[in-house]
Amino acid sequence: MKDVKQRHASLFLEVSCQDETPRLPLHSSIVVFLLSYCECKYFKVHLVSGKPDSSQALQGQLPEFLDVRVVRAEGLPPLVRDCRLPVVLDETGRMCRAGLAVVLRHIINKSVEAEPSRNDVLALLGFKKTCLKACAEVSKWTRLCEIGVPSAVEEHLRNPSSQQPQPPPPAILTLERRLAEPVKVHNDDKIRRQKLKQLRQNGNNDSSKGSGDSHLGDGLELKTALAKLSVAAAPNPTTRERSEIRKVKTNDLPVLEHVFAEGLYFTLTDVVLLPCIHQYLENGIEAAFAPHPCPEWTLPWDSLPDAINPTEGKMSSIRTVRKKQQLNNLVAMVTQLAKPGYTVVDFCSGTGHVGIVLAHALPRCQVILIENKEESLIRAHSRSAKLGLENIGFIQTNLDYFTGPFQIGVALHACGVATDMVTEHCIQAGAAFVVSPCCYGFIQNAVKFTFPRSKKFQETLIYKEHMVLCRFADQTAPQLPPERRLIGKQCMGLVDLDRSWSAESHGYRVQVMTMEPETCSPKNNMLVGRPGVEDGPR
């Protein structure tokens, strides 16, 4: 094959073969993941493979907009041949960029050049736009993300151990330790705030001397450096700031420029690590969603009394539509389970959106609303009074203090471990449950629960790995790219699969399904559990 002629910038990615089947190794998958995220069409993509039909076999793994071709190793340009892939070769054929972090940053820069409005892409480079800037030989964190974790996971995929459970690779354990470290606040910002504090305490005397502020800054920075070197340094006693300092508005303080990696913020480090963690954690367990039994079912909203309508209060019209859709799903499931004389408990009821609708729709059932916030429960009581409902009761308490019998438990968007508390309470009472989880990132070990919940997940994941799933399960917001929302949805499914298997060990049959339409909420999972399964626990 002739050498590849350079007319446009070319991106060279490795293709490997496993059981004679071509596949993208992790380094290549990470690059493709970023290309897809950025929707970058700047490069001609060359798959370096020994199999001429690799392009067709890998077509399903590559974004459709990419210009893809296959080359053999012997046909690579000399500069590319001398480097470890991935590699970018510019239009002249004389400028070569090699290495995962270097190539990823180049893709980001070219994407922003093509579309300057893509602030979400530029933000991947994080604080000072230097994410993963240091070469791997110098920065331990860059080496871990760029080489250590991808290589360890790739080796794990090539040579899976037959031992169960499998010990995590050392690089994964190192990553866990790094993720467990407390968030570090940008020191420059703290120093600037200290300068402001001291200047005001001294009545701005130093600033009138011209060079005083510089001298003050040097002293603070030196103190900061020396404090890091002093192992046994005693911490300064905490003192209450003077009122003129405390009352300063946040906008008047120096801007905190550091963007942390937690929550919805996404950086280039996440782009590198996410495919690795996804591959490592997958381990044969896949999220499974049951089909919705009545996706078109809806309450007759136009004919319902005004006090039932969720438009009461300050809810926007868009949110009202979504709230009605959410209620359609929960009420549909409860009405399938309910029988005359049943007691239905609306846990974490808030102002009663779920419980009041159920009391109206199920006049032959007793509905109890349980809520710890007094103001919300008073509003729910007022709404029900307008409707003249006689089959409804209200209890202000923590969940643990409710000990009465009931047949169905329901909760809409129970945050974090609240979902587990509700399902556990239902299991103890032998009651069915219909629960919509929320705020997966708030899930953590508690007095009653340790995570993962189910035996199979415990054999596969340790606690911190489960927390990674929970963190990414919260990345389903509508403003995020579709690829990230899909990953978030898969992580939601895995967390709820663990919950469902835990309930099944107590003799329950549990379905994890998606509320209809799925746009009714970023957190659109719904767990429906029925007790008394004949085929026994899992």
Side-chain angles (χ1 to χ4, degrees), residues 257-277:
E257 297 178 353
H258 196 147
V259 177
F260 301 116
E262 283 75 14
L264 290 176
Y265 296 116
F266 205 53
T267 68
L268 185 56
T269 304
D270 295 300
V271 172
V272 174
L273 294 176
L274 181 55
C276 301
I277 298 300

Side-chain angles (χ1 to χ4, degrees), residues 139-161:
S139 168
K140 293 182 179 180
W141 175 241
T142 299
R143 182 174 181 83
L144 176 68
C145 296
E146 186 182 16
I147 299 176
V149 172
S151 298
V153 175
E154 186 66 36
E155 177 64 24
H156 171 77
L157 294 175
R158 281 199 302 263
N159 301 301
S161 171

Side-chain angles (χ1 to χ4, degrees), residues 261-330:
E262 283 75 14
L264 290 176
Y265 296 116
F266 205 53
T267 68
L268 185 56
T269 304
D270 295 300
V271 172
V272 174
L273 294 176
L274 181 55
C276 301
I277 298 300
H278 174 71
Q279 289 280 358
Y280 179 68
L281 295 183
E282 193 172 27
N283 259 339
I285 299 178
E286 296 183 2
F289 294 92
H292 199 296
C294 45
E296 304 296 330
W297 191 91
T298 180
L299 286 157
W301 291 106
D302 293 338
S303 61
L304 291 178
D306 291 340
I308 290 181
N309 198 308
T311 53
E312 179 184 334
K314 300 180 180 179
M315 193 176 295
S316 67
S317 57
I318 295 177
R319 189 181 171 199
T320 297
V321 171
R322 292 175 178 168
K323 182 63 67 176
K324 288 180 178 179
Q325 293 168 342
Q326 296 163 20
L327 293 174
N328 286 338
N329 284 270
L330 269 69

Side-chain angles (χ1 to χ4, degrees), residues 193 196-197 200-201 238-253:
R193 290 170 187 257
L196 176 63
K197 178 180 176 180
R200 293 186 178 181
Q201 287 177 338
T238 301
T239 58
R240 185 174 176 83
E241 291 180 343
R242 291 169 51 174
S243 61
E244 60 266 29
I245 299 297
R246 295 199 311 272
K247 294 179 181 178
V248 173
K249 295 180 180 179
T250 303
N251 292 338
D252 295 334
L253 291 174

